[in-house]
């Protein structure tokens, strides 16, 4: 008989390491989406048994893309590490701070006695993150937008609760950033509207759906037209004329505003030149950038 001995210690250590890496974020070492969903499911089951509430906070760093683009991804990563550290320090040991990816974090507050507890935590986080972040030679000041979902009224499964907290976060951005919003059912309607606008904006330039209207500027004494202001409009199929207050904030958030701005400049110049070609008097045209 031949006996084979095999040291399983190393294999077990490797297996545990791989499992850890699969459940944690590579940059911040925080729990990732996979581990959060697992903890959230367990926390919901416990809250259900004990007739308690819990809260999910969806946290997004405002204008993070600007920091990444202007200062480099290395600075951006260091800033995210600083944000992660402050988030962990702002909540209890029993709570979970996770990174969803990019500049998005999700926090599980479990349990909470009442919804106001989540608001207290949100205010604490806003204050903690507002202090300057010392990153290499930079002192960076940032704000965050937060959405809050409460179990069980805003969702009885992990996916729904996180999705609704995300929708509330987008609402916080629409309300000027640097604040938190509790999820409300009518936000779903706004989210669908926003999604529809975002989807349409992606192709609007290629499909030539934008147009400029020119509002004349008049000298009230002589009643002569002294200039014009170019105003963008979007003729979206199936929706009709969409005004800028509807789609400009969405375009800004998605990064479409730059190509749209370039189109406005070119189109206003083209129109002004065509007026000159038609022997009309030179007319200054104002453009909002």
């Amino acid at each position: 008989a031949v006996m084979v001995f095999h040291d399983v210690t190393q294999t077990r250590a490797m297996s545990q390491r791989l499992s850890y890496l699969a459940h944690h974020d590579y940059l911040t070492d925080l729990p990732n989406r996979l581990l959060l969903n697992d903890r959230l499911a367990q926390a919901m089951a416990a809250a259900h048994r004990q007739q308690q509430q819990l809260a999910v906070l969806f946290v997004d760093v405002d204008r993070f893309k600007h920091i990444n683009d202007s200062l480099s991804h290395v600075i951006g990563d260091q800033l995210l590490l600083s944000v992660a550290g402050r988030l962990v320090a702002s909540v209890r040991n029993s709570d979970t701070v996770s990174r969803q990816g990019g500049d998005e974090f999700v926090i599980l507050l479990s349990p909470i006695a009442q919804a106001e507890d989540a608001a207290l935590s949100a205010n604490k986080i806003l204050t903690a993150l507002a202090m300057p972040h010392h990153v290499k030679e930079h002192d960076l000041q940032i704000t965050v937008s937060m959405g809050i979902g409460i179990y069980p009224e805003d969702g009885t499964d992990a996916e729904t609760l996180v999705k609704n907290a995300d929708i509330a976060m987008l609402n916080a951005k629409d309300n000027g950033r640097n604040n938190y919003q509790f999820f409300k059912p009518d936000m779903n309607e706004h989210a669908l509207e926003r999604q529809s606008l975002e989807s349409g904006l992606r192709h609007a330039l290629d499909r030539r759906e934008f147009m400029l209207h020119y509002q004349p500027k008049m000298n009230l004494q002589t009643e002569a037209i002294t200039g014009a202001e170019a105003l963008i409009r979007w003729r979206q199929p199936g929706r009709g004329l969409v005004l800028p207050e509807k789609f400009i904030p969405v375009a800004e958030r998605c990064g479409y505003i730059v190509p749209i701005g370039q189109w406005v400049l070119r189109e206003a110049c083209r129109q002004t030149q065509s007026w000159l070609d038609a022997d009309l008097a030179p007319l200054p045209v104002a453009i909002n950038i």
Side-chain angles (χ1 to χ4, degrees), residues 70-72 74-75 78-79 132-141:
S70 58
L71 296 178
S72 85
V74 174
I75 299 292
Q78 292 297 310
L79 175 61
H133 296 257
H134 307 294
V135 179
K136 301 214 168 169
E137 68 275 20
H138 304 283
D139 275 349
L140 301 176
Q141 287 202 284

Side-chain angles (χ1 to χ4, degrees), residues 256-286:
Y256 301 146
I257 195 67
V258 173
I260 289 172
Q262 289 168 342
W263 176 85
V264 170
L265 273 169
R266 280 197 304 272
E267 175 60 20
C269 289
R270 188 201 62 75
Q271 180 61 65
T272 307
Q273 184 60 50
S274 71
W275 286 332
L276 291 172
D277 293 344
D279 291 331
L280 294 174
L283 194 72
V285 175

Side-chain angles (χ1 to χ4, degrees), residues 33-53:
R33 192 183 305 230
L34 196 64
L35 183 52
L36 173 81
N37 284 348
D38 188 47
R39 289 191 184 173
L40 193 44
Q42 289 180 35
M44 282 176 162
H48 178 69
R49 281 195 308 272
Q50 291 151 20
Q51 298 291 289
Q52 290 177 316
Q53 291 179 303

Side-chain angles (χ1 to χ4, degrees), residues 4-289:
V4 178
F5 292 95
H6 180 59
D7 184 4
V8 296
T9 313
Q10 201 170 357
T11 310
R12 191 179 296 124
M14 179 66 77
S15 173
Q16 286 172 341
R17 179 68 185 148
L18 287 172
S19 174
Y20 183 87
L21 290 172
H23 290 86
H24 289 79
D25 174 54
Y26 72 95
L27 174 67
T28 60
D29 207 32
L30 292 174
N32 62 12
R33 192 183 305 230
L34 196 64
L35 183 52
L36 173 81
N37 284 348
D38 188 47
R39 289 191 184 173
L40 193 44
Q42 289 180 35
M44 282 176 162
H48 178 69
R49 281 195 308 272
Q50 291 151 20
Q51 298 291 289
Q52 290 177 316
Q53 291 179 303
L54 61 82
V56 163
L57 272 59
F58 202 108
V59 183
D60 184 273
V61 180
D62 295 326
R63 299 188 175 94
F64 179 72
K65 187 178 182 300
H66 174 70
I67 292 168
N68 250 354
D69 291 348
S70 58
L71 296 178
S72 85
H73 288 270
V74 174
I75 299 292
D77 282 352
Q78 292 297 310
L79 175 61
L80 290 175
L81 280 168
S82 178
V83 169
R86 292 194 196 177
L87 289 176
V88 170
S90 298
V91 298
R92 305 164 297 184
N93 288 338
S94 59
D95 300 325
T96 296
V97 177
S98 73
R99 183 176 176 223
Q100 292 285 286
D103 60 335
E104 294 178 339
F105 297 84
V106 173
I107 301 171
L108 164 60
L109 304 177
S110 174
I112 57 169
Q114 54 199 4
E116 285 72 25
D117 294 347
L120 288 172
S121 287
N123 276 319
K124 192 174 175 184
I125 288 166
L126 286 173
T127 304
L129 293 179
M131 300 293 288
H133 296 257
H134 307 294
V135 179
K136 301 214 168 169
E137 68 275 20
H138 304 283
D139 275 349
L140 301 176
Q141 287 202 284
I142 62 160
T143 59
V144 295
S145 298
M146 274 184 280
I148 303 174
I150 305 292
Y151 170 88
E153 51 261 48
D154 299 332
T156 51
D157 62 85
E159 189 185 349
T160 304
L161 194 57
V162 171
K163 177 176 74 76
N164 286 342
D166 185 7
I167 287 170
M169 179 276 292
L170 291 171
N171 205 261
K173 285 205 183 285
D174 289 344
N175 278 279
R177 303 181 175 91
N178 193 27
N179 71 93
Y180 65 85
Q181 297 286 325
F182 281 92
F183 174 76
K184 298 183 192 74
D186 67 346
M187 287 179 183
N188 259 321
E189 207 176 303
H190 296 311
L192 289 171
E193 165 88 350
R194 191 190 292 108
Q195 216 169 16
S196 163
L197 286 171
E198 195 175 315
S199 167
L201 276 173
R202 197 171 291 126
H203 308 290
L205 270 176
D206 296 336
R207 294 174 180 165
R208 301 184 176 181
E209 292 171 1
F210 291 117
M211 59 198 299
L212 291 184
H213 286 183
Y214 296 89
Q215 181 164 301
K217 293 180 177 181
M218 297 188 72
N219 181 320
L220 294 179
Q221 289 176 322
T222 64
E223 294 190 358
I225 293 176
T226 56
E229 183 181 5
L231 304 171
I232 190 168
R233 298 290 183 265
W234 177 21
R235 194 177 292 286
Q236 191 184 14
R239 194 191 288 261
L241 215 58
V242 185
L243 296 178
E245 68 245 32
K246 277 271 189 194
F247 68 86
I248 292 294
V250 179
E252 285 177 334
R253 195 165 47 246
C254 304
Y256 301 146
I257 195 67
V258 173
I260 289 172
Q262 289 168 342
W263 176 85
V264 170
L265 273 169
R266 280 197 304 272
E267 175 60 20
C269 289
R270 188 201 62 75
Q271 180 61 65
T272 307
Q273 184 60 50
S274 71
W275 286 332
L276 291 172
D277 293 344
D279 291 331
L280 294 174
L283 194 72
V285 175
I287 298 169
N288 300 311
I289 296 182

